[in-house]
Amino acid sequence: MRLVVEQNQALSREPRTILVTGGAGFIGSNFVHYWCQQYPGDRIVVLDALTYAGNRNNLAGLEGWANLRFVQGDICDRPLIDALLQEEGIDILAHFAAESHVDRSILGPDAFVRTNVIGTFTLLEAFRQYWLTNGQPTHFRFHHVSTDEVYGSLNPNDPGFSETTPYAPNSPYSASKAGSDHLVRAYYHTYGLPTLMTNCSNNYGPYHFPEKLIPLMCINILMGKGLPVYGDGQNIRDWLYVEDHCSAIDAVLHRGKPGETYNIGGNNEVKNIDLVHKLCELMDELATDLPVRPAHKLITFVKDRPGHDRRYAIDATKLRTEIGWTPAETVESGLRKTVQWYLTHRNWWQPLLSPEYQAYYKQVYTSV
Ligand code: NAD
Ligand code: TYD
């Protein structure tokens, strides 16, 4: 057994048991892979409803892992959450489960309010009850994974979002995440529940569902399909390699102060159109069998997303100075790894281009 952190309110000694909600999704599954490698003695219980975004194949390679349990279920199911917390003796609840795609939130916001607000509330209430029943252990943690989109949109010369930037969500997705963030904050202030919160920028990397910008562009290039850039392509996002996100959560879990929020960024602000060009260049270089070459000939400007936020950027000073974390990847190194991954994992993404996916695609890209 080794001591994980020396602090007044220390995280527990290993081995620990962690409940990972949304652990079959993009970031959650990367987190499970990361954690199994870093802390092989810990037990991980994945709870995931397996919506369109959840995929058991994201956890492939870990099936034989004795310390991993997968449970298909809904974070709104209170009796299930109560039972899991109790029977597994959970120390840390790492909450990734969410409806996460802005475009889907515009088409149908209901599921976003249900999962992101009611689901987070259900987890908080269950965890509070469990924490109280166990005598309020100081090493318990409820880690809420959130987004920079709760802060709204920046102008070109504005400083990046800090932890004190007022909330100004603009989409049903970001509004529902903001609602869940406020509940987490309230549970610390009102009940003293040992919460942690991280708000991060756009992630990219392995196991990213095909409808998000980077995987969509990679896959369309490989299939010789149009590359739909919304509006004028000048919108800016900060890009965070998903493994960096996982290591940042690890650092916050071990060194973060309960009740605090930490913003996580990649120091990689890029205009959408420049990002798409970078992906095209990487594919031209790395792929041998492109149907259309050079790939940038596929770029098509399409109708803009309603209420499209212009710019996101993160001021990660607090994470750097208080926790000692900085990202390992640049956008160049991270994109190269990502393109390589999509090139060598056709068996992962091809089955995801299902009739449901095609129907969604048609609905969003009618003008492509
Ligand atoms: P994702 O959509 O890829 O995965 C979400 C997972 O949650 C899926 O496996 C899905 O099956 C599961 N899920 C959905 N509803 C559920 C429910 N009711 N009960 C149980 N499981 C349910 O999302 P992601 O990109 O991995 O995002 C994970 C978290 O990180 C989310 O909270 C998201 O808001 C946040 N985040 C994501 C990004 C990003 O760039 N992807 C950036 C910042 C923050
Ligand atoms: P996305 O991956 O949906 O993340 P978010 O909207 O949460 O930032 O999109 C990233 C950026 O790329 C965003 O500005 C919208 C834009 N975009 C396109 O231009 N075309 C597309 O087909 C998609 C999916 C996104």
Side-chain angles (χ1 to χ4, degrees):
M1 207 179 252
R2 86 186 144 96
L3 189 61
V4 173
V5 72
E6 294 286 358
Q7 268 187 9
N8 286 342
Q9 304 190 56
L11 198 61
S12 70
R13 289 160 188 270
E14 292 181 41
R16 301 152 294 193
T17 303
I18 308 181
L19 178 61
V20 181
T21 71
F26 163 47
I27 305 174
S29 64
N30 275 282
F31 181 78
V32 172
H33 283 280
Y34 169 92
W35 202 273
C36 286
Q37 270 167 18
Q38 296 293 321
Y39 308 104
D42 284 356
R43 176 163 174 79
I44 296 191
V45 180
V46 170
L47 173 65
D48 197 296
L50 295 181
T51 66
Y52 78 93
N55 184 352
R56 286 298 301 266
N57 290 337
N58 292 3
L59 299 171
L62 296 173
E63 297 89 355
W65 206 266
N67 277 336
L68 179 65
R69 174 180 172 195
F70 180 83
V71 178
Q72 182 170 0
D74 193 326
I75 58 167
C76 299
D77 183 345
R78 177 70 193 269
L80 173 65
I81 313 297
D82 288 341
L84 282 178
L85 292 172
Q86 200 57 50
E87 76 191 35
E88 290 285 354
I90 299 295
D91 302 297
I92 300 169
L93 195 160
H95 177 31
F96 294 85
E99 287 293 338
S100 70
H101 192 176
V102 175
D103 290 325
R104 282 190 188 251
S105 82
I106 295 167
L107 294 172
D110 311 46
F112 286 73
V113 174
R114 181 182 178 278
T115 288
N116 299 356
V117 182
I118 309 289
T120 302
F121 167 70
T122 307
L123 291 172
L124 282 166
E125 262 304 273
F127 197 74
R128 181 171 78 89
Q129 203 55 57
Y130 168 70
W131 173 70
L132 285 173
T133 308
N134 282 276
Q136 308 181 19
T138 54
H139 72 273
F140 277 18
R141 291 290 183 277
F142 184 105
H143 189 120
H144 179 60
V145 177
S146 194
T147 170
D148 60 357
E149 302 193 24
V150 296
Y151 299 117
S153 184
L154 293 168
N155 289 318
N157 296 321
D158 288 343
F161 302 126
S162 79
E163 292 77 2
T164 55
T165 302
Y167 274 32
N170 290 320
S171 72
Y173 163 64
S174 53
S176 65
K177 289 297 289 186
S180 66
D181 290 10
H182 290 319
L183 284 167
V184 172
R185 177 189 158 91
Y187 269 66
Y188 172 76
H189 284 275
T190 305
Y191 305 114
L193 194 73
T195 60
L196 291 165
M197 183 150 69
T198 46
N199 293 70
C200 72
S201 53
N202 285 58
N203 283 221
Y204 66 105
Y207 305 114
H208 206 176
F209 191 75
E211 70 190 24
K212 298 281 180 90
L213 178 72
I214 289 180
L216 184 139
M217 295 297 165
C218 289
I219 290 168
N220 282 14
I221 294 171
L222 290 172
M223 297 196 313
K225 280 181 74 173
L227 307 179
V229 176
Y230 294 161
D232 60 5
Q234 300 296 307
N235 303 66
I236 294 174
R237 297 291 182 265
D238 173 62
W239 292 96
L240 174 67
Y241 191 63
V242 65
E243 202 176 309
D244 277 334
H245 185 192
C246 297
S247 74
I249 293 174
D250 179 357
V252 169
L253 271 169
H254 285 100
R255 299 193 287 282
K257 207 165 143 245
E260 292 289 318
T261 290
Y262 301 89
N263 284 358
I264 310 172
N267 291 334
N268 288 307
E269 275 188 67
V270 188
K271 285 181 185 156
N272 288 345
I273 187 64
D274 295 341
L275 186 84
V276 174
H277 274 288
K278 277 181 202 285
L279 289 171
C280 290
E281 285 160 21
L282 280 166
M283 281 291 183
D284 289 339
E285 178 194 335
L286 299 172
T288 51
D289 54 350
L290 290 185
V292 175
R293 189 185 285 275
H296 70 76
K297 287 203 288 196
L298 294 166
I299 292 175
T300 323
F301 289 90
V302 301
K303 193 165 57 101
D304 209 354
R305 167 190 283 172
H308 195 177
D309 284 338
R310 198 64 174 165
R311 174 177 166 238
Y312 302 143
I314 292 264
D315 172 357
T317 307
K318 182 174 174 182
L319 194 61
R320 191 178 65 248
T321 55
E322 293 185 17
I323 305 289
W325 180 91
T326 50
E329 301 292 344
T330 63
V331 80
E332 277 73 25
S333 64
L335 284 181
R336 182 170 285 272
K337 283 186 182 178
T338 304
V339 166
Q340 288 279 19
W341 194 86
Y342 281 89
L343 275 170
T344 51
H345 288 77
R346 288 174 200 250
N347 289 349
W348 178 84
W349 56 261
Q350 271 164 344
L352 299 176
L353 310 183
S354 60
E356 289 89 342
Y357 178 81
Q358 305 301 344
Y360 163 83
Y361 199 95
K362 214 168 146 192
Q363 208 176 354
V364 176
Y365 301 102
T366 40
S367 53
V368 180

